[in-house]
Amino acid sequence: MPQVRNLTAAFREELEARKGKIIISQYSDINREGVYSDLWLIVTTRFVEVYQYKKDTEEFDLQVSFKWEQIRSVKQQNLVGAGVLEATMAEDLVVLLQYSNTYTRDFNYVAKAMEKLVKLSEAEKEGFIFHSFKDSGKQYCKKCGRLIPEWSDSCPACIDKGAILKRLFAYAWPFRKQLIILTILMLGGTVLDLIPPYLSGVILIDKVLGSKPENGIQLLLWVVIGLFVTQFLATAFAVIRGRMAAWLSASLVYELRKKTYESLQRLSLSYYDKRQTGAIMSRVVHDVNRLNNFLIEGVQYFLVQILLLIGIGAILFSINPKLAFLVVIPAPLVVFLSFHFWKYIWKLFASFWHRNSKMTAVLNDSLSGIRVIKAFAQEEREIDRFDQKSYELYNASVQAEQTWATLFPWLSFLLTLGSLFVYLIGGRDVLLGVATVGQLVTFMNYIWRFYGPLQFLSRITDWLTRSLTSAERVFEILDAQPDVVDSPNAIRLPQIKGDVAFEDVFFGYEEHEPVLQNISFNLSSGQMLGVIGHSGAGKSTIINLLCRFYDPTEGRITIDGVDLKEIAQQDIRSQVGMVLQETFLFNGTIAENIAYAKPSATMEEIIRAAKIANAHDFITAFPNGYDTFVGERGARLSGGERQRVAIARAILHDPRILILDEATSSVDTETEVKIQEAIDRLIQNRTTVAIAHRLSTLRNADKLIIIEEGNIIEAGSPDELLEKKGHYYNLVMAQEISKKEKEVAASNEQSA
């Protein structure tokens, strides 16, 4: 097989000079004769061309060339062992090039992109950005086209930091009165903090201890009283401010966390398909707390530090302008350096929080699946997996913190250079009698209070970086829009009859990877549909579409003749009941789990549903009966018990459309018989869609569909499909043989 080569820079430059900007350059490995060769599909703003690379001459030989004006559409065609990319012209169909199955996915993306390019003008093609198969899991900024980092849902280069700050303050606006009071208290405490240096310096040292006046004892007493009063008031202000801040902080966190959680609940399942649970939890918990600290403490502290800087600066210049000038000399350099490192530090801390989310996600996975880990003795593997993520977090943390730990001391050093000059010049003035000792002591006390705000401002990048990164992550959740939304004029169907129809439905969780293709069937109210197929064939996807967890890519689904997209989601979900293969129970009592879909249910209704599901007997066998706690994910119940509780939950819900996804997969044969009896009673006068590997559970189905690789390969009633002696017939025969073999084996064991 020839060696794959990249396009040379010189060739690309030559092409773009003659043919327009290159939009797509995709390698192929088969020529028109079906022989392995090095070919390249080159798509520019003006041409679609194919070049073959000649190894002997190291040149690119033009094989096919068309102007965009000649092309009407582009599509991919999969053949046996290979595929072709075809272009429809005005009068005929042209094969642009062939490729082996290795590049099928690549050309799937190429064909989709070229189909979009056909409709664009040359100017619009200039701004088109092609995302290949290798980029399918990545996100790109719609504004600038840059790759969005995996730790974010928005482009760091295009993020409006001013808009983030403005939006943050909007969340604090309802608490503006309390914030104003807090700020006043903090300012009052700051002013009180400025009084002691002056009292203990100029007043105490120069006017009391230095000059020793006749009323010195009285003045000393007044100075001490003044220091006591200022410190007492400062303490009182701090206590009041602290208590109010505690209330305000808790209130703001509550509101932010509530809004974030509400947003998460409204998002579609596709949002969770692409994200780890632990990463989302990190945003709800840690990032919301950081925003609270920013809004309650940070903003006030920032304002106070600015005012403190101005106030102390004014005092210093009033005492000795020459010395004050020496103090502020390093300040501009410190501020400049701080802002200079802003972007670099932002990226470091963003990476740190991303790694933290990744580690939290792994921790959540391992704790949730601890039974599976123990069952397969994979503790060491999980330790290694967690250690890897923890080590990545360690590296990100060390890099971020060491960078700041290197920068901050040098900034502090620059600031303290001013104090050295003050010691030198101020000490000389005292020795020469130009200044007093009290003035120098007062000046030095104020200097350290002056450097505090300066050091804070030099760390403003750190503070803002952490806060805005957290804000961005929280706002990504708040701004995320569900993929499945009600139409503006959604139709209300408070009482569904239960007629269901799939009409030429296509769907894929990823745009270029269809899971269902051309699915069509009708189901009348009260009928039961059995869906049969191997794992991954698309059975559960049909259920997801029927519940409108996702919308079809093509085609439509109707209930009672109304397009599912036009019906209010609440009306759909409130009248559809589900019993899933992977039963999920909440960490509460059995009664609470049964009544989950109907919280107002009476105990009599709960017990009735449990009896129908054949769950009452095992529930009453527990010491606490229906008040028995099921544990995390129902861990205290067996698989069959969890399944029957889930069935009771669906029974109490009393849905018009019932979905059974392998509802008897987790029970033994004896229990299956009992549950099947319950299901037979339950499905009366309800539209039912049942997925099952055990064909015996579908014996009462009115219709069956057999799915393979996303396509319906057989459809009809059980009797009709048996008469056809096709795929369904073979499955029934295989299960009958398997059943007889088990019976013979059991009989032999008993005889032995």
Side-chain angles (χ1 to χ4, degrees):
M1 185 172 179
Q3 180 183 2
V4 179
R5 296 177 181 269
N6 293 322
L7 294 177
T8 63
F11 181 64
R12 293 183 70 93
E13 291 177 5
E14 179 191 353
L15 270 180
E16 292 199 332
R18 294 187 298 107
K19 304 295 179 72
K21 176 185 173 183
I22 295 177
I23 305 171
I24 301 172
S25 56
Q26 175 60 50
Y27 175 81
S28 175
D29 55 353
I30 300 178
N31 63 21
R32 287 169 173 258
E33 288 73 36
V35 179
Y36 280 114
S37 303
D38 290 313
L39 288 96
W40 284 91
L41 170 71
I42 306 296
V43 178
T44 72
T45 52
R46 300 199 300 270
F47 289 86
V48 174
E49 298 183 333
V50 176
Y51 289 85
Q52 182 172 354
Y53 179 74
K54 301 291 187 180
K55 292 182 64 177
D56 51 350
T57 61
E58 295 188 354
E59 294 179 349
F60 291 90
D61 184 33
L62 181 63
Q63 303 288 305
V64 176
S65 180
F66 293 103
K67 292 184 177 180
W68 273 112
E69 292 80 3
Q70 300 173 265
I71 300 174
R72 298 290 181 268
S73 66
V74 179
K75 68 176 181 178
Q76 174 200 34
Q77 192 78 280
N78 293 327
L79 308 175
V80 178
V84 295
L85 187 69
E86 299 175 334
T88 302
M89 304 298 178
E91 297 180 355
D92 56 359
L93 187 69
V94 175
V95 175
L96 297 176
L97 83 168
Q98 284 187 245
Y99 49 85
S100 70
N101 285 341
T102 303
Y103 297 96
T104 298
R105 283 185 171 181
D106 293 281
F107 278 96
N108 195 345
Y109 279 70
V110 168
K112 294 283 187 180
M114 292 180 68
E115 190 64 23
K116 294 178 181 177
L117 286 165
V118 167
K119 304 171 185 177
L120 302 181
S121 66
E122 183 175 336
E124 290 172 326
K125 289 185 177 73
E126 285 279 351
F128 187 88
I129 298 174
F130 171 63
H131 298 147
S132 68
F133 160 66
K134 299 176 183 64
D135 299 327
S136 60
K138 300 176 181 178
Q139 300 182 72
Y140 291 83
C141 177
K142 295 180 180 179
K143 184 176 180 181
C144 68
R146 291 185 178 92
L147 177 65
I148 296 176
E150 57 180 343
W151 49 264
S152 176
D153 285 338
S154 57
C155 177
C158 297
I159 189 172
D160 188 343
K161 298 175 179 64
I164 289 181
L165 288 172
K166 182 179 179 181
R167 186 171 176 183
L168 275 175
F169 295 141
Y171 281 99
W173 183 249
F175 304 97
R176 57 191 178 278
K177 293 181 180 179
Q178 292 85 351
L179 285 170
I180 291 172
I181 295 173
L182 278 177
T183 304
I184 292 172
L185 290 170
M186 186 174 282
L187 287 173
T190 302
V191 172
L192 291 169
D193 192 44
L194 293 177
I195 296 175
Y198 189 79
L199 289 176
S200 61
V202 174
I203 302 298
L204 181 61
I205 294 176
D206 287 346
K207 296 186 178 181
V208 178
L209 301 180
S211 52
K212 298 179 182 179
E214 293 181 1
N215 60 341
I217 300 297
Q218 185 179 1
L219 289 175
L220 177 62
L221 181 61
W222 279 112
V223 169
V224 172
I225 292 173
L227 290 171
F228 171 80
V229 171
T230 54
Q231 290 177 3
F232 176 83
L233 290 176
T235 303
F237 276 36
V239 170
I240 297 171
R241 187 183 69 84
R243 291 179 64 86
M244 181 175 287
W247 172 84
L248 185 56
S249 174
S251 300
L252 189 57
V253 164
Y254 167 75
E255 291 297 331
L256 269 174
R257 193 164 286 149
K258 178 184 176 183
K259 290 181 182 295
T260 306
Y261 187 75
E262 286 175 352
S263 181
L264 285 172
Q265 289 296 319
R266 293 191 178 99
L267 291 174
S268 304
L269 287 183
S270 58
Y271 180 86
Y272 299 94
D273 292 341
K274 303 172 184 176
R275 292 163 178 84
Q276 292 179 295
T277 304
I280 297 175
M281 289 171 59
S282 177
R283 299 190 184 200
V284 177
V285 178
H286 301 301
D287 290 322
V288 168
N289 281 337
R290 190 174 294 278
L291 288 187
N292 163 67
N293 294 335
F294 171 77
L295 290 171
I296 301 301
E297 298 289 342
V299 175
Q300 297 175 74
Y301 190 64
F302 174 73
L303 294 174
V304 168
Q305 295 302 304
I306 293 292
L307 295 175
L308 194 60
L309 193 67
I310 295 171
I312 295 177
I315 294 174
L316 290 177
F317 275 96
S318 68
I319 295 174
N320 192 319
K322 179 175 63 175
L323 294 181
F325 180 73
L326 294 174
V327 172
V328 299
I329 285 177
L333 179 61
V334 170
V335 174
F336 170 77
L337 290 175
S338 297
F339 281 99
H340 178 71
F341 285 102
W342 163 271
K343 293 183 179 180
Y344 181 63
I345 294 175
W346 171 280
K347 292 179 181 178
L348 290 179
F349 278 107
S351 175
F352 167 78
W353 283 109
H354 167 63
R355 301 300 174 191
N356 184 64
S357 296
K358 287 287 187 181
M359 187 193 72
T360 305
V362 170
L363 179 62
N364 178 75
D365 285 345
S366 61
L367 293 179
S368 300
I370 191 65
R371 290 176 178 271
V372 177
I373 295 170
K374 295 288 185 184
F376 291 95
Q378 294 297 311
E379 292 90 344
E380 291 301 322
R381 176 184 177 185
E382 290 302 317
I383 289 172
D384 290 340
R385 192 161 74 103
F386 179 79
D387 183 63
Q388 179 185 352
K389 297 301 179 183
S390 183
Y391 187 73
E392 290 176 0
L393 175 62
Y394 156 77
N395 280 333
S397 175
V398 168
Q399 188 177 6
E401 296 295 346
Q402 282 188 344
T403 300
W404 185 251
T406 302
L407 176 63
F408 179 63
W410 285 112
L411 295 176
S412 299
F413 171 73
L414 291 175
L415 288 174
T416 56
L417 286 179
S419 66
L420 298 180
F421 287 116
V422 170
Y423 276 124
L424 177 62
I425 304 302
R428 186 198 65 178
D429 288 348
V430 170
L431 293 175
L432 295 176
V434 177
T436 66
V437 174
Q439 288 178 332
L440 181 60
V441 170
T442 302
F443 205 88
M444 292 307 301
N445 284 335
Y446 278 123
I447 281 179
W448 296 116
R449 282 172 169 77
F450 182 76
Y451 283 150
L454 266 184
Q455 288 177 340
F456 170 77
L457 291 178
S458 69
R459 295 197 66 176
I460 191 72
T461 54
D462 176 27
W463 176 56
L464 280 175
T465 294
R466 294 172 187 257
S467 301
L468 294 185
T469 300
S470 293
E472 180 187 0
R473 288 157 55 85
V474 172
F475 289 158
E476 283 170 3
I477 293 178
L478 294 174
D479 293 339
Q481 296 297 318
D483 296 326
V484 178
V485 295
D486 284 341
S487 65
N489 301 313
I491 298 172
R492 302 306 305 265
L493 290 180
Q495 188 61 40
I496 291 174
K497 288 198 310 180
D499 295 334
V500 175
F502 276 57
E503 301 174 5
D504 301 321
V505 170
F506 288 76
F507 175 75
Y509 295 101
E510 296 293 338
E511 182 180 358
H512 303 290
E513 297 181 17
V515 176
L516 297 178
Q517 303 178 67
N518 198 29
I519 299 296
S520 297
F521 62 82
N522 292 290
L523 197 60
S524 299
S525 175
Q527 286 188 323
M528 179 180 181
L529 172 71
V531 184
I532 302 170
H534 60 75
S535 297
K539 306 186 300 297
S540 296
T541 302
I542 289 177
I543 290 175
N544 288 335
L545 294 176
L546 180 56
C547 294
R548 213 194 164 198
F549 293 148
Y550 304 88
D551 281 333
T553 306
E554 298 178 28
R556 71 172 194 153
I557 302 169
T558 65
I559 291 180
D560 297 348
V562 182
D563 193 322
L564 211 60
K565 294 180 181 180
E566 301 300 322
I567 305 174
Q569 292 183 65
Q570 180 63 29
D571 289 344
I572 299 171
R573 309 268 170 79
S574 63
Q575 298 181 75
V576 174
M578 301 181 69
V579 180
L580 302 177
Q581 181 179 3
E582 297 180 5
T583 303
F584 183 90
L585 299 182
F586 293 94
N587 190 8
T589 66
I590 293 176
E592 289 171 343
N593 274 279
I594 293 176
Y596 185 76
K598 188 179 179 183
S600 61
T602 64
M603 200 64 210
E604 288 74 18
E605 291 175 314
I606 293 172
I607 293 173
R608 176 180 172 275
K611 286 181 177 179
I612 294 175
N614 285 326
H616 179 72
D617 291 341
F618 84 77
I619 293 174
T620 54
F622 288 118
N624 295 323
Y626 283 84
D627 292 328
T628 300
F629 279 87
V630 300
E632 187 76 19
R633 295 176 177 265
R636 296 183 62 184
L637 304 182
S638 69
E641 290 169 345
R642 288 198 298 271
Q643 199 78 318
R644 279 178 279 175
V645 170
I647 292 173
R649 181 167 60 192
I651 291 170
L652 185 60
H653 181 41
D654 192 23
R656 293 300 310 146
I657 299 175
L658 178 66
I659 294 173
L660 304 172
D661 186 358
E662 301 289 354
T664 60
S665 63
S666 300
V667 298
D668 53 39
T669 305
E670 183 179 349
T671 306
E672 180 186 2
V673 172
K674 293 180 180 180
I675 293 179
Q676 192 61 50
E677 291 174 359
I679 290 175
D680 290 342
R681 293 192 295 269
L682 175 64
I683 65 176
Q684 295 299 319
N685 301 318
R686 301 180 200 276
T687 303
T688 305
V689 177
I691 294 174
H693 286 297
R694 297 180 184 178
L695 301 182
S696 59
T697 61
L698 300 178
R699 63 177 181 270
N700 294 324
D702 298 287
K703 295 181 180 180
L704 295 176
I705 58 174
I706 317 296
I707 296 183
E708 189 172 290
E709 296 183 355
N711 294 279
I712 296 178
I713 58 173
E714 283 186 8
S717 69
D719 292 338
E720 290 172 348
L721 295 184
L722 284 174
E723 289 179 7
K724 287 182 179 180
K725 293 190 176 181
H727 194 86
Y728 176 69
Y729 175 82
N730 294 333
L731 288 174
V732 172
M733 292 300 102
Q735 289 198 8
E736 286 293 330
I737 293 172
S738 176
K739 182 180 178 181
K740 289 179 180 178
E741 289 176 348
K742 290 179 180 178
E743 289 175 353
V744 170
S747 176
N748 292 336
E749 287 181 5
Q750 290 177 357
S751 300

